[in-house]
Amino acid sequence: MENKELVYTPEQAAAKEVFCRRRGDYKWKSSSLWDDILMYDHKLISGYAEYSALPFERGALSPVMCELIAIVIDSSITHLHQAGLRNHIGHAIEVGATEGEVLEALEIACTIGSRVFTEGFQVYADELRERGMYPADAELTQEQKEAKDLYEYQGYDYWDEGHNEALKLDPVGMKTFAQWNRAPLTNDCLSQKDKELLYLALYASPTTVYVPGIREHLKKAMDLGATHEEIISVFELISVIGVHSLTVSTPILKKQAADYAAGTMWSDRQ
């Protein structure tokens, strides 16, 4: 709720006006955090509003997609920002997202676990080779072939060379993980292009920045017709995740400063 007792300076009032005009009055009212930040630095508020509004105003991505991208990066295990996730799921529903679409975005966020198979098993295989313990080459078993086949969906190949090591060292795990990892591909709430844009957001997110994943899903998105405007909008949307450093920490700063002034900063220390 907005704090009715706040008195803004002309500069603060102007910054708030820019924010509400560019990002929407509803976003300001959704959290008192913006008022807290405004009291500290009005220039940051207006700068954030100007930049973060670009992908919304460009219109290359639908309002639903903009919110789904935010949901993917906030729900990723590398971030897990619950307050942001709650807001963006709410905003997604408000602009017309279905529960199925939100769930599909969440399923895509779960697939970041596949990096264990592309990176972890590769390192393990290198160590086994160095110790002379790597299994001898052999023809793929039926189970291994089935596991590999699960990474192909409607002509889109999701097999990565890094998967070869996992396939050889843990075929059972590889197959069962692939069955789970395939879920967002087989659901049809979102188009394949939109799925690729969400995968791109996941791997390009500042908390992930996994270049092989960025390259793979960028290529697939472009093959499916993703435009320049759509791709740069994805990058712009995920780059502002850094604002969470402020939205999480400013209330702590405000409370600690107030407690220090009152002489009670460490009074609740156990």
Side-chain angles (χ1 to χ4, degrees):
M1 295 293 292
E2 184 177 358
N3 189 338
K4 301 297 185 182
E5 298 179 359
L6 288 178
V7 177
Y8 301 116
T9 66
E11 294 80 8
Q12 290 169 338
K16 179 180 177 181
E17 189 279 327
V18 170
F19 185 105
C20 293
R21 173 166 45 83
R22 301 296 297 274
R23 294 304 313 275
D25 187 61
Y26 74 94
K27 185 172 178 64
W28 187 277
K29 291 180 177 179
S30 68
S31 175
S32 62
L33 287 169
W34 301 116
D35 265 321
D36 291 341
I37 297 170
L38 179 65
M39 294 297 105
Y40 281 111
D41 189 350
H42 65 85
K43 297 185 295 298
L44 188 142
I45 285 289
S46 56
Y48 167 77
E50 296 279 5
Y51 177 66
S52 65
L54 289 178
F56 294 90
E57 294 175 351
R58 183 179 293 114
L61 298 173
S62 70
V64 167
M65 269 300 291
C66 288
E67 294 300 337
L68 293 180
I69 287 169
I71 288 168
V72 163
I73 60 174
D74 278 355
S75 64
S76 170
I77 195 65
T78 61
H79 191 44
L80 285 182
H81 184 54
Q82 292 189 32
L85 189 57
R86 187 179 302 111
N87 283 338
H88 287 297
I89 288 178
H91 294 332
I93 292 171
E94 285 180 332
V95 297
T98 67
E99 290 181 58
E101 289 172 330
V102 172
L103 181 62
E104 200 158 324
L106 296 173
E107 289 174 343
I108 286 173
C110 290
T111 67
I112 200 169
S114 65
R115 289 182 59 187
V116 174
F117 291 90
T118 57
E119 303 295 326
F121 273 86
Q122 181 64 63
V123 175
Y124 180 40
D126 291 344
E127 187 62 26
L128 289 175
R129 287 190 181 94
E130 188 173 316
R131 294 168 182 256
M133 300 168 59
Y134 192 80
D137 289 333
E139 292 293 323
L140 292 181
T141 65
Q142 183 60 34
E143 187 169 46
Q144 289 170 320
K145 291 177 181 178
E146 291 173 357
K148 188 172 182 179
D149 287 345
L150 287 170
Y151 280 80
E152 294 184 359
Y153 175 69
Q154 292 185 353
Y156 299 105
D157 186 1
Y158 286 84
W159 186 261
D160 184 280
E161 284 304 307
H163 290 128
N164 287 327
E165 307 294 4
L167 186 67
K168 189 166 190 176
L169 298 171
D170 185 13
V172 176
M174 189 66 171
K175 181 178 178 180
T176 53
F177 179 83
Q179 290 170 329
W180 174 52
N181 204 52
R182 185 182 169 117
L185 294 177
T186 56
N187 291 336
D188 58 2
C189 295
L190 298 170
S191 71
Q192 190 63 30
K193 184 186 78 172
D194 284 347
K195 292 175 187 180
E196 295 301 339
L197 292 174
L198 291 177
Y199 279 116
L200 176 61
L202 176 66
Y203 286 111
S205 171
T207 60
T208 307
V209 191
Y210 181 54
V211 175
I214 296 172
R215 184 171 290 113
E216 175 187 8
H217 294 293
L218 177 61
K219 182 180 185 301
K220 284 183 168 63
M222 293 178 71
D223 288 345
L224 289 162
T227 66
H228 171 71
E229 289 75 17
E230 288 175 322
I231 290 167
I232 64 172
S233 294
V234 170
F235 290 152
E236 289 167 351
L237 281 165
I238 62 177
S239 68
V240 296
I241 192 177
V243 77
H244 292 159
S245 295
L246 280 166
T247 58
V248 171
S249 303
T250 300
I252 299 172
L253 169 61
K254 181 180 178 182
K255 184 178 186 307
Q256 292 295 80
D259 287 350
Y260 176 75
T264 59
M265 187 161 65
W266 309 117
S267 62
D268 60 349
R269 188 173 181 177
Q270 297 299 319

Short mmCIF file of all heavy atoms in Angstrom, two decimals, residues 126-176:
data_model
loop_
_atom_site.label_atom_id
_atom_site.label_comp_id
_atom_site.label_asym_id
_atom_site.label_seq_id
_atom_site.Cartn_x
_atom_site.Cartn_y
_atom_site.Cartn_z
N ASP A 126 36.26 -36.92 -17.49
CA ASP A 126 37.66 -36.53 -17.64
C ASP A 126 38.51 -37.11 -16.52
O ASP A 126 39.63 -37.59 -16.75
CB ASP A 126 37.78 -35.00 -17.64
CG ASP A 126 37.19 -34.37 -18.89
OD1 ASP A 126 36.97 -35.09 -19.88
OD2 ASP A 126 36.94 -33.14 -18.86
N GLU A 127 37.98 -37.09 -15.31
CA GLU A 127 38.72 -37.62 -14.17
C GLU A 127 38.87 -39.13 -14.26
O GLU A 127 39.93 -39.70 -13.95
CB GLU A 127 38.02 -37.24 -12.86
CG GLU A 127 38.77 -37.59 -11.59
CD GLU A 127 40.10 -36.88 -11.47
OE1 GLU A 127 40.26 -35.78 -12.06
OE2 GLU A 127 41.00 -37.42 -10.78
N LEU A 128 37.80 -39.80 -14.70
CA LEU A 128 37.88 -41.25 -14.88
C LEU A 128 38.92 -41.62 -15.93
O LEU A 128 39.68 -42.59 -15.77
CB LEU A 128 36.51 -41.81 -15.28
CG LEU A 128 35.43 -41.82 -14.19
CD1 LEU A 128 34.10 -42.27 -14.78
CD2 LEU A 128 35.83 -42.73 -13.03
N ARG A 129 38.98 -40.87 -17.00
CA ARG A 129 39.99 -41.14 -18.04
C ARG A 129 41.40 -40.97 -17.48
O ARG A 129 42.30 -41.76 -17.76
CB ARG A 129 39.77 -40.20 -19.22
CG ARG A 129 38.55 -40.54 -20.07
CD ARG A 129 38.54 -39.72 -21.37
NE ARG A 129 37.37 -40.03 -22.18
CZ ARG A 129 36.23 -39.35 -22.13
NH1 ARG A 129 36.11 -38.32 -21.30
NH2 ARG A 129 35.21 -39.71 -22.90
N GLU A 130 41.58 -39.93 -16.71
CA GLU A 130 42.90 -39.65 -16.14
C GLU A 130 43.35 -40.78 -15.22
O GLU A 130 44.55 -41.09 -15.13
CB GLU A 130 42.87 -38.32 -15.38
CG GLU A 130 44.23 -37.85 -14.92
CD GLU A 130 44.19 -36.45 -14.32
OE1 GLU A 130 43.53 -35.58 -14.91
OE2 GLU A 130 44.81 -36.25 -13.26
N ARG A 131 42.39 -41.42 -14.57
CA ARG A 131 42.71 -42.51 -13.63
C ARG A 131 42.68 -43.88 -14.32
O ARG A 131 42.86 -44.90 -13.65
CB ARG A 131 41.71 -42.49 -12.47
CG ARG A 131 41.82 -41.25 -11.58
CD ARG A 131 40.63 -41.14 -10.64
NE ARG A 131 40.70 -39.95 -9.82
CZ ARG A 131 41.05 -39.93 -8.53
NH1 ARG A 131 41.37 -41.07 -7.92
NH2 ARG A 131 41.09 -38.80 -7.85
N GLY A 132 42.39 -43.90 -15.61
CA GLY A 132 42.31 -45.17 -16.33
C GLY A 132 41.10 -45.99 -15.96
O GLY A 132 41.13 -47.23 -16.06
N MET A 133 40.03 -45.34 -15.52
CA MET A 133 38.83 -46.05 -15.05
C MET A 133 37.63 -45.86 -15.97
O MET A 133 36.54 -46.34 -15.66
CB MET A 133 38.48 -45.56 -13.64
CG MET A 133 39.57 -45.79 -12.60
SD MET A 133 39.25 -44.91 -11.04
CE MET A 133 37.67 -45.60 -10.56
N TYR A 134 37.81 -45.16 -17.09
CA TYR A 134 36.67 -44.88 -17.97
C TYR A 134 36.25 -46.17 -18.68
O TYR A 134 37.10 -46.92 -19.17
CB TYR A 134 37.04 -43.81 -18.99
CG TYR A 134 35.85 -43.26 -19.74
CD1 TYR A 134 35.04 -42.30 -19.15
CD2 TYR A 134 35.54 -43.70 -21.03
CE1 TYR A 134 33.95 -41.79 -19.83
CE2 TYR A 134 34.45 -43.19 -21.72
CZ TYR A 134 33.65 -42.23 -21.11
OH TYR A 134 32.57 -41.72 -21.77
N PRO A 135 34.93 -46.43 -18.75
CA PRO A 135 34.47 -47.67 -19.40
C PRO A 135 34.90 -47.75 -20.86
O PRO A 135 34.98 -46.73 -21.56
CB PRO A 135 32.95 -47.58 -19.28
CG PRO A 135 32.70 -46.61 -18.18
CD PRO A 135 33.82 -45.63 -18.22
N ALA A 136 35.18 -48.92 -21.31
CA ALA A 136 35.56 -49.12 -22.71
C ALA A 136 34.40 -48.78 -23.63
O ALA A 136 33.22 -48.93 -23.26
CB ALA A 136 36.00 -50.56 -22.93
N ASP A 137 34.72 -48.30 -24.82
CA ASP A 137 33.68 -47.97 -25.79
C ASP A 137 32.90 -49.23 -26.18
O ASP A 137 33.46 -50.32 -26.30
CB ASP A 137 34.30 -47.35 -27.05
CG ASP A 137 34.82 -45.94 -26.78
OD1 ASP A 137 34.28 -45.29 -25.87
OD2 ASP A 137 35.75 -45.51 -27.47
N ALA A 138 31.61 -49.04 -26.37
CA ALA A 138 30.75 -50.17 -26.77
C ALA A 138 29.54 -49.61 -27.50
O ALA A 138 29.25 -48.41 -27.45
CB ALA A 138 30.30 -50.95 -25.53
N GLU A 139 28.84 -50.46 -28.22
CA GLU A 139 27.63 -50.05 -28.90
C GLU A 139 26.59 -49.61 -27.87
O GLU A 139 26.54 -50.14 -26.75
CB GLU A 139 27.07 -51.20 -29.73
CG GLU A 139 27.93 -51.60 -30.92
CD GLU A 139 27.95 -50.51 -31.98
OE1 GLU A 139 26.91 -49.86 -32.19
OE2 GLU A 139 29.03 -50.30 -32.58
N LEU A 140 25.75 -48.63 -28.25
CA LEU A 140 24.71 -48.18 -27.34
C LEU A 140 23.73 -49.31 -27.07
O LEU A 140 23.33 -50.04 -27.98
CB LEU A 140 23.96 -46.99 -27.93
CG LEU A 140 24.71 -45.67 -28.07
CD1 LEU A 140 23.79 -44.60 -28.66
CD2 LEU A 140 25.28 -45.20 -26.74
N THR A 141 23.35 -49.45 -25.80
CA THR A 141 22.33 -50.42 -25.45
C THR A 141 20.97 -49.87 -25.85
O THR A 141 20.82 -48.68 -26.17
CB THR A 141 22.33 -50.69 -23.94
OG1 THR A 141 21.95 -49.47 -23.26
CG2 THR A 141 23.71 -51.12 -23.46
N GLN A 142 19.95 -50.71 -25.81
CA GLN A 142 18.61 -50.26 -26.14
C GLN A 142 18.16 -49.16 -25.19
O GLN A 142 17.52 -48.19 -25.59
CB GLN A 142 17.63 -51.44 -26.08
CG GLN A 142 16.20 -51.09 -26.49
CD GLN A 142 16.11 -50.57 -27.91
OE1 GLN A 142 16.85 -50.99 -28.80
NE2 GLN A 142 15.18 -49.64 -28.14
N GLU A 143 18.51 -49.31 -23.92
CA GLU A 143 18.13 -48.31 -22.93
C GLU A 143 18.81 -46.97 -23.22
O GLU A 143 18.19 -45.91 -23.09
CB GLU A 143 18.52 -48.79 -21.52
CG GLU A 143 18.03 -47.89 -20.41
CD GLU A 143 18.20 -48.53 -19.06
OE1 GLU A 143 19.29 -49.08 -18.80
OE2 GLU A 143 17.25 -48.49 -18.26
N GLN A 144 20.07 -47.01 -23.64
CA GLN A 144 20.77 -45.78 -23.98
C GLN A 144 20.17 -45.12 -25.21
O GLN A 144 20.03 -43.90 -25.28
CB GLN A 144 22.26 -46.06 -24.19
CG GLN A 144 23.01 -46.38 -22.91
CD GLN A 144 24.41 -46.88 -23.16
OE1 GLN A 144 24.65 -47.66 -24.09
NE2 GLN A 144 25.36 -46.44 -22.35
N LYS A 145 19.79 -45.92 -26.20
CA LYS A 145 19.16 -45.38 -27.40
C LYS A 145 17.83 -44.71 -27.06
O LYS A 145 17.50 -43.64 -27.58
CB LYS A 145 18.95 -46.49 -28.43
CG LYS A 145 20.24 -47.03 -29.05
CD LYS A 145 19.94 -48.17 -30.00
CE LYS A 145 21.22 -48.74 -30.60
NZ LYS A 145 20.94 -49.89 -31.50
N GLU A 146 17.07 -45.35 -26.18
CA GLU A 146 15.78 -44.79 -25.78
C GLU A 146 15.97 -43.48 -25.03
O GLU A 146 15.20 -42.52 -25.21
CB GLU A 146 15.02 -45.79 -24.91
CG GLU A 146 14.53 -47.02 -25.68
CD GLU A 146 13.94 -48.08 -24.74
OE1 GLU A 146 13.96 -47.85 -23.52
OE2 GLU A 146 13.46 -49.10 -25.26
N ALA A 147 16.99 -43.42 -24.18
CA ALA A 147 17.27 -42.20 -23.44
C ALA A 147 17.64 -41.07 -24.39
O ALA A 147 17.17 -39.93 -24.25
CB ALA A 147 18.41 -42.43 -22.45
N LYS A 148 18.46 -41.37 -25.38
CA LYS A 148 18.87 -40.34 -26.34
C LYS A 148 17.70 -39.88 -27.19
O LYS A 148 17.55 -38.69 -27.49
CB LYS A 148 19.99 -40.88 -27.23
CG LYS A 148 20.61 -39.83 -28.14
CD LYS A 148 21.83 -40.37 -28.85
CE LYS A 148 22.47 -39.28 -29.72
NZ LYS A 148 23.68 -39.77 -30.41
N ASP A 149 16.82 -40.82 -27.56
CA ASP A 149 15.66 -40.47 -28.39
C ASP A 149 14.73 -39.49 -27.69
O ASP A 149 14.03 -38.70 -28.34
CB ASP A 149 14.88 -41.73 -28.76
CG ASP A 149 15.60 -42.58 -29.80
OD1 ASP A 149 16.54 -42.05 -30.44
OD2 ASP A 149 15.24 -43.76 -29.96
N LEU A 150 14.71 -39.52 -26.35
CA LEU A 150 13.84 -38.63 -25.60
C LEU A 150 14.22 -37.16 -25.77
O LEU A 150 13.43 -36.27 -25.48
CB LEU A 150 13.84 -39.00 -24.11
CG LEU A 150 13.10 -40.28 -23.74
CD1 LEU A 150 13.40 -40.65 -22.29
CD2 LEU A 150 11.60 -40.11 -23.94
N TYR A 151 15.44 -36.91 -26.22
CA TYR A 151 15.90 -35.53 -26.40
C TYR A 151 15.56 -34.98 -27.77
O TYR A 151 15.94 -33.86 -28.10
CB TYR A 151 17.41 -35.43 -26.15
CG TYR A 151 17.74 -35.37 -24.69
CD1 TYR A 151 17.77 -36.52 -23.90
CD2 TYR A 151 18.00 -34.15 -24.07
CE1 TYR A 151 18.06 -36.46 -22.55
CE2 TYR A 151 18.28 -34.08 -22.71
CZ TYR A 151 18.31 -35.24 -21.96
OH TYR A 151 18.58 -35.18 -20.63
N GLU A 152 14.84 -35.73 -28.58
CA GLU A 152 14.38 -35.25 -29.86
C GLU A 152 12.86 -35.09 -29.80
O GLU A 152 12.15 -36.01 -29.39
CB GLU A 152 14.77 -36.21 -30.98
CG GLU A 152 16.28 -36.29 -31.19
CD GLU A 152 16.66 -37.17 -32.37
OE1 GLU A 152 15.72 -37.72 -32.99
OE2 GLU A 152 17.86 -37.29 -32.65
N TYR A 153 12.39 -33.93 -30.17
CA TYR A 153 10.95 -33.67 -30.09
C TYR A 153 10.51 -32.89 -31.32
O TYR A 153 10.97 -31.77 -31.56
CB TYR A 153 10.62 -32.87 -28.83
CG TYR A 153 9.17 -32.44 -28.75
CD1 TYR A 153 8.17 -33.40 -28.54
CD2 TYR A 153 8.80 -31.11 -28.92
CE1 TYR A 153 6.85 -33.02 -28.49
CE2 TYR A 153 7.47 -30.73 -28.87
CZ TYR A 153 6.50 -31.69 -28.65
OH TYR A 153 5.17 -31.32 -28.61
N GLN A 154 9.66 -33.48 -32.11
CA GLN A 154 9.08 -32.85 -33.30
C GLN A 154 10.14 -32.17 -34.17
O GLN A 154 9.98 -31.04 -34.62
CB GLN A 154 8.01 -31.84 -32.88
CG GLN A 154 6.79 -32.51 -32.25
CD GLN A 154 5.67 -31.53 -31.96
OE1 GLN A 154 5.83 -30.32 -32.10
NE2 GLN A 154 4.53 -32.05 -31.53
N GLY A 155 11.25 -32.87 -34.35
CA GLY A 155 12.30 -32.34 -35.22
C GLY A 155 13.28 -31.42 -34.54
O GLY A 155 14.25 -30.98 -35.16
N TYR A 156 13.07 -31.11 -33.25
CA TYR A 156 13.97 -30.23 -32.52
C TYR A 156 14.91 -31.08 -31.66
O TYR A 156 14.47 -31.75 -30.72
CB TYR A 156 13.19 -29.24 -31.66
CG TYR A 156 12.30 -28.36 -32.49
CD1 TYR A 156 10.92 -28.57 -32.50
CD2 TYR A 156 12.82 -27.36 -33.29
CE1 TYR A 156 10.09 -27.79 -33.29
CE2 TYR A 156 12.01 -26.57 -34.07
CZ TYR A 156 10.64 -26.78 -34.06
OH TYR A 156 9.83 -26.01 -34.85
N ASP A 157 16.19 -31.05 -32.00
CA ASP A 157 17.17 -31.89 -31.32
C ASP A 157 17.72 -31.18 -30.09
O ASP A 157 18.37 -30.13 -30.20
CB ASP A 157 18.31 -32.22 -32.30
CG ASP A 157 19.29 -33.22 -31.71
OD1 ASP A 157 19.07 -33.67 -30.57
OD2 ASP A 157 20.28 -33.53 -32.38
N TYR A 158 17.46 -31.73 -28.91
CA TYR A 158 17.95 -31.14 -27.67
C TYR A 158 19.14 -31.92 -27.10
O TYR A 158 19.51 -31.76 -25.95
CB TYR A 158 16.82 -31.07 -26.63
CG TYR A 158 15.83 -29.98 -26.95
CD1 TYR A 158 14.80 -30.18 -27.85
CD2 TYR A 158 15.97 -28.72 -26.38
CE1 TYR A 158 13.92 -29.18 -28.18
CE2 TYR A 158 15.09 -27.70 -26.69
CZ TYR A 158 14.07 -27.93 -27.60
OH TYR A 158 13.20 -26.91 -27.92
N TRP A 159 19.71 -32.78 -27.94
CA TRP A 159 20.87 -33.54 -27.49
C TRP A 159 22.12 -32.68 -27.57
O TRP A 159 22.37 -31.99 -28.55
CB TRP A 159 21.04 -34.79 -28.35
CG TRP A 159 22.13 -35.69 -27.84
CD1 TRP A 159 23.41 -35.79 -28.28
CD2 TRP A 159 22.01 -36.60 -26.76
NE1 TRP A 159 24.10 -36.71 -27.54
CE2 TRP A 159 23.27 -37.22 -26.59
CE3 TRP A 159 20.96 -36.95 -25.90
CZ2 TRP A 159 23.50 -38.18 -25.61
CZ3 TRP A 159 21.19 -37.90 -24.93
CH2 TRP A 159 22.45 -38.51 -24.79
N ASP A 160 22.89 -32.70 -26.50
CA ASP A 160 24.14 -31.96 -26.44
C ASP A 160 25.29 -32.95 -26.31
O ASP A 160 25.12 -34.01 -25.68
CB ASP A 160 24.11 -31.02 -25.22
CG ASP A 160 25.34 -30.15 -25.13
OD1 ASP A 160 26.38 -30.65 -24.66
OD2 ASP A 160 25.28 -28.98 -25.53
N GLU A 161 26.42 -32.65 -26.88
CA GLU A 161 27.55 -33.57 -26.81
C GLU A 161 27.91 -33.90 -25.37
O GLU A 161 28.39 -34.99 -25.07
CB GLU A 161 28.76 -32.99 -27.54
CG GLU A 161 28.66 -33.06 -29.06
CD GLU A 161 28.44 -34.47 -29.55
OE1 GLU A 161 29.21 -35.38 -29.18
OE2 GLU A 161 27.46 -34.70 -30.30
N GLY A 162 27.68 -32.95 -24.48
CA GLY A 162 27.96 -33.21 -23.06
C GLY A 162 27.11 -34.33 -22.49
O GLY A 162 27.47 -34.95 -21.48
N HIS A 163 25.97 -34.60 -23.15
CA HIS A 163 25.10 -35.67 -22.68
C HIS A 163 25.71 -37.06 -22.93
O HIS A 163 25.31 -38.04 -22.30
CB HIS A 163 23.74 -35.60 -23.37
CG HIS A 163 22.90 -34.44 -22.95
ND1 HIS A 163 22.34 -33.56 -23.84
CD2 HIS A 163 22.54 -34.01 -21.72
CE1 HIS A 163 21.65 -32.65 -23.18
NE2 HIS A 163 21.76 -32.90 -21.89
N ASN A 164 26.65 -37.15 -23.87
CA ASN A 164 27.21 -38.46 -24.21
C ASN A 164 27.86 -39.13 -23.01
O ASN A 164 27.75 -40.35 -22.83
CB ASN A 164 28.24 -38.31 -25.34
CG ASN A 164 27.58 -38.04 -26.67
OD1 ASN A 164 26.48 -38.51 -26.95
ND2 ASN A 164 28.24 -37.25 -27.51
N GLU A 165 28.56 -38.35 -22.19
CA GLU A 165 29.21 -38.91 -21.02
C GLU A 165 28.19 -39.43 -20.01
O GLU A 165 28.34 -40.52 -19.46
CB GLU A 165 30.13 -37.87 -20.36
CG GLU A 165 31.13 -37.22 -21.29
CD GLU A 165 32.18 -38.18 -21.82
OE1 GLU A 165 32.11 -39.40 -21.52
OE2 GLU A 165 33.08 -37.72 -22.54
N ALA A 166 27.15 -38.64 -19.77
CA ALA A 166 26.11 -39.07 -18.84
C ALA A 166 25.41 -40.31 -19.35
O ALA A 166 25.05 -41.22 -18.59
CB ALA A 166 25.10 -37.95 -18.62
N LEU A 167 25.19 -40.37 -20.67
CA LEU A 167 24.53 -41.52 -21.27
C LEU A 167 25.33 -42.80 -21.03
O LEU A 167 24.77 -43.86 -20.76
CB LEU A 167 24.36 -41.29 -22.77
CG LEU A 167 23.57 -42.35 -23.54
CD1 LEU A 167 22.10 -42.33 -23.10
CD2 LEU A 167 23.68 -42.10 -25.04
N LYS A 168 26.65 -42.69 -21.09
CA LYS A 168 27.50 -43.86 -20.92
C LYS A 168 27.66 -44.24 -19.45
O LYS A 168 27.65 -45.42 -19.08
CB LYS A 168 28.87 -43.59 -21.53
CG LYS A 168 29.77 -44.81 -21.60
CD LYS A 168 30.96 -44.55 -22.50
CE LYS A 168 31.73 -45.84 -22.76
NZ LYS A 168 32.85 -45.63 -23.72
N LEU A 169 27.78 -43.23 -18.58
CA LEU A 169 28.07 -43.49 -17.18
C LEU A 169 26.82 -43.73 -16.33
O LEU A 169 26.90 -44.37 -15.28
CB LEU A 169 28.87 -42.32 -16.59
CG LEU A 169 30.24 -42.07 -17.24
CD1 LEU A 169 30.83 -40.77 -16.73
CD2 LEU A 169 31.18 -43.24 -16.94
N ASP A 170 25.68 -43.21 -16.78
CA ASP A 170 24.45 -43.36 -15.98
C ASP A 170 23.23 -43.42 -16.90
O ASP A 170 22.41 -42.51 -16.92
CB ASP A 170 24.32 -42.19 -15.00
CG ASP A 170 23.14 -42.34 -14.06
OD1 ASP A 170 22.57 -43.45 -13.97
OD2 ASP A 170 22.78 -41.34 -13.40
N PRO A 171 23.09 -44.49 -17.68
CA PRO A 171 21.98 -44.56 -18.65
C PRO A 171 20.61 -44.55 -18.00
O PRO A 171 19.67 -43.97 -18.54
CB PRO A 171 22.24 -45.86 -19.40
CG PRO A 171 23.12 -46.68 -18.49
CD PRO A 171 23.96 -45.67 -17.77
N VAL A 172 20.47 -45.17 -16.84
CA VAL A 172 19.17 -45.19 -16.16
C VAL A 172 18.80 -43.78 -15.70
O VAL A 172 17.68 -43.31 -15.93
CB VAL A 172 19.19 -46.15 -14.96
CG1 VAL A 172 17.87 -46.08 -14.20
CG2 VAL A 172 19.46 -47.58 -15.42
N GLY A 173 19.76 -43.10 -15.06
CA GLY A 173 19.50 -41.73 -14.62
C GLY A 173 19.22 -40.81 -15.79
O GLY A 173 18.34 -39.94 -15.73
N MET A 174 19.96 -41.00 -16.87
CA MET A 174 19.80 -40.17 -18.05
C MET A 174 18.41 -40.32 -18.65
O MET A 174 17.75 -39.34 -19.02
CB MET A 174 20.86 -40.54 -19.09
CG MET A 174 20.92 -39.61 -20.26
SD MET A 174 21.50 -37.98 -19.75
CE MET A 174 21.73 -37.21 -21.34
N LYS A 175 17.93 -41.55 -18.71
CA LYS A 175 16.62 -41.80 -19.31
C LYS A 175 15.50 -41.22 -18.45
O LYS A 175 14.59 -40.56 -18.96
CB LYS A 175 16.41 -43.30 -19.49
CG LYS A 175 15.08 -43.66 -20.14
CD LYS A 175 14.93 -45.16 -20.33
CE LYS A 175 13.59 -45.52 -20.94
NZ LYS A 175 13.44 -46.99 -21.12
N THR A 176 15.56 -41.47 -17.15
CA THR A 176 14.49 -40.98 -16.29
C THR A 176 14.51 -39.46 -16.19
O THR A 176 13.46 -38.82 -16.13
CB THR A 176 14.58 -41.62 -14.90
OG1 THR A 176 15.90 -41.42 -14.36
CG2 THR A 176 14.29 -43.11 -14.96
#
